[in-house]
């Protein structure tokens, strides 16, 4: 029903599968910016020690079905184009 975790590689695929996620941002070093988090989907909430009490602990999962369909269709068309180009 809800994933609460601090690992980018856990939260991101769970979110893509439609599971609501909350990303726990650890404050290991406040002076180092984690650039990998810049690409984290905006639908995933960040939780820190400062924002924990004001979090929505019952988030609604993001809807990705249209995007998944478009990506599957694009991948299939590129595979077909490559097959036709190199078929001898």
């Amino acid at each position: 029903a809800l994933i609460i975790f601090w690992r980018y590689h856990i939260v991101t695929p769970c979110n893509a599968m439609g599971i609501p996620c909350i990303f726990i941002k650890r404050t290991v070093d406040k002076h180092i910016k984690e650039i990998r988090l810049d690409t984290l989907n905006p639908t995933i909430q960040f939780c820190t020690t400062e924002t924990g009490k004001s979090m929505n602990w019952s988030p609604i999962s993001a809807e990705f079905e249209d995007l998944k369909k478009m990506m599957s269709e694009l991948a299939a068309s590129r595979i077909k184009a490559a097959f036709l180009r190199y078929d001898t």
Side-chain angles (χ1 to χ4, degrees), residues 8-67:
Y8 178 87
H9 292 87
I10 299 296
V11 174
T12 302
C14 289
N15 186 55
M17 289 185 278
I19 303 168
C21 297
I22 295 176
F23 184 84
I24 304 296
K25 187 171 181 183
R26 298 182 297 171
T27 54
V28 176
D29 187 347
K30 293 182 180 183
H31 303 291
I32 296 175
K33 184 177 183 206
E34 294 187 55
I35 59 172
R36 66 190 176 104
L37 300 180
D38 291 346
T39 59
L40 197 61
N41 192 298
T43 60
I44 299 174
Q45 295 185 83
F46 278 89
C47 180
T48 63
T49 53
E50 294 83 26
T51 63
K53 292 183 180 179
S54 63
M55 292 291 299
N56 174 12
W57 293 100
S58 300
I60 298 172
S61 62
E63 184 59 49
F64 292 107
E65 293 308 314
D66 292 339
L67 179 60

